[in-house]
Amino acid sequence: MQVLPLTGGLGAELTGADICDPGQFPALQEAFARYSVIVIRGQDHVTPEDHLAFARRFGPIDVNRFFKSVDGYPEIATVLKEADQKEAVGEGWHTDHSYDQEPAMGSILRAVEMPPYGGDTVFASTAQAYDTLSPPMQAFLETLSAWHSSSHVFGAAAADSEAVRSGRLGNADAATQTVCHPVVIRHPLSGRKCLFVNPVFTTRIRELSEAESDALLQMLYAHCQQPELHCRVRWQQGDVTMWDNRATWHKAINDYHGFRRFMHRVTVQGCAIAGNMG
Ligand code: SIN
């Protein structure tokens, strides 16, 4: 197996690997812990059962409440954009399931059908984002916590979106999660400090006024959008990419109108996350 780092900050491309081979799991797990995003090329042979078995080696499956599932596989979410659709699911920078008390550990996406061009996924390192802030700002952020919610994204407010109207997203009544997490968390595996706010699900910094919260979040979001903190995955059909939700943001690039893009996503449960606030 060859492991080729994609950037200096996060992401690695793995060739000669097979997610179905339990003997390779320790090496894949090590690469995941080290790079936060691993792109495992050439997994065309992988079945939905293999995908689930690989995910279960990391931990129990976290079934998404809102994505339409793959027929016959309630634990696998479809990430789909048809040729005649305009909106892609996951277009905004986000961290999957940050609105849960125990946010998901990671997600594993398999490219089933890709457009002839475009449809990349971009990732940002929230560990590097924290590291590149000034010490006074780091210290201030460590005193703060933030609310995250699912309701404005998946609840009644989203009823008019194309993703809901087309049936790709649903179950709006289940969008009741609102939780508070530290703005800076200690990564459960690496111990590194990571920013834990994101533009899609974070609604407000608890300790600040609304205006202060908005201004601070906008500053942090602009900081995280620097390309130096990113890696970009150019997919090939059959690829499997796994990312760590506690150490990254991601965003699906919607630049392939007129073509179908179809992915299977399995998400792995996480644990409670903590900062330095006690
Ligand atoms: C997601 O946000 O989980 C999907 C990302 C993608 O489709 O590239």
Side-chain angles (χ1 to χ4, degrees):
M1 181 188 315
Q2 270 115 40
V3 180
L4 182 71
L6 290 175
T7 70
L10 84 166
E13 180 180 73
L14 277 56
T15 51
D18 182 358
I19 69 166
C20 305
D21 178 358
Q24 290 191 11
F25 182 67
L28 292 167
Q29 193 177 29
E30 191 185 314
F32 173 69
R34 174 155 182 199
Y35 295 103
S36 300
V37 177
I38 51 174
V39 187
I40 309 157
R41 301 289 187 194
Q43 304 301 296
D44 309 76
H45 55 289
V46 166
T47 64
E49 286 81 4
D50 296 330
H51 190 174
L52 287 165
F54 178 60
R56 285 199 185 96
R57 287 192 193 106
F58 285 92
I61 308 298
D62 191 339
V63 180
N64 188 280
R65 304 166 184 87
F66 310 111
F67 285 48
K68 181 180 183 304
S69 60
V70 172
D71 287 344
Y73 297 95
E75 295 166 300
I76 305 182
T78 58
V79 177
L80 172 66
K81 185 180 163 224
E82 296 286 6
D84 62 351
Q85 294 173 339
K86 291 283 170 272
E87 292 172 12
V89 172
E91 274 184 62
W93 282 111
H94 65 285
T95 299
D96 296 335
H97 296 221
S98 75
Y99 48 78
D100 280 333
Q101 197 65 49
E102 296 191 349
M105 167 205 186
S107 298
I108 306 171
L109 196 62
R110 187 166 75 88
V112 179
E113 188 178 335
M114 294 306 292
Y117 54 78
D120 299 356
T121 309
V122 186
F123 296 88
S125 167
T126 54
Q128 226 190 337
Y130 173 84
D131 288 347
T132 48
L133 290 167
S134 65
M137 179 55 73
Q138 291 175 335
F140 176 50
L141 294 174
E142 286 185 46
T143 66
L144 302 175
S145 55
W147 294 104
H148 299 242
S149 171
S150 60
S151 63
H152 61 290
V153 180
F154 298 117
D160 255 358
S161 69
E162 184 194 62
V164 172
R165 281 187 276 110
S166 62
R168 288 178 287 164
L169 295 178
N171 202 19
D173 291 348
T176 55
Q177 299 73 36
T178 297
V179 295
C180 199
H181 296 301
V183 167
V184 178
I185 61 165
R186 277 246 176 233
H187 191 278
L189 296 177
S190 68
R192 282 182 80 180
K193 290 180 181 175
C194 303
L195 286 184
F196 200 75
V197 287
N198 69 85
V200 169
F201 297 118
T202 305
T203 53
R204 166 99 186 245
I205 295 184
R206 179 165 67 172
E207 295 81 1
L208 303 182
S209 71
E210 191 173 348
E212 290 168 341
S213 167
D214 287 350
L216 183 57
L217 288 174
Q218 286 318 311
M219 184 280 286
L220 294 176
Y221 296 161
H223 177 70
C224 292
Q225 286 179 54
Q226 297 173 82
E228 289 77 6
L229 307 183
H230 297 173
C231 74
R232 182 163 178 139
V233 174
R234 174 83 193 104
W235 292 90
Q236 291 154 23
Q237 200 156 305
D239 289 346
V240 168
T241 294
M242 178 170 186
W243 61 87
D244 187 323
N245 277 311
R246 289 87 48 101
T248 61
W249 282 0
H250 62 279
K251 170 183 167 62
I253 304 296
N254 186 5
D255 60 353
Y256 51 94
H257 298 305
F259 296 101
R260 186 174 204 254
R261 180 179 185 269
F262 180 40
M263 322 286 271
H264 286 186
R265 194 181 90 183
V266 178
T267 299
V268 181
Q269 280 180 22
C271 55
I273 49 174
N276 277 354
M277 300 167 68

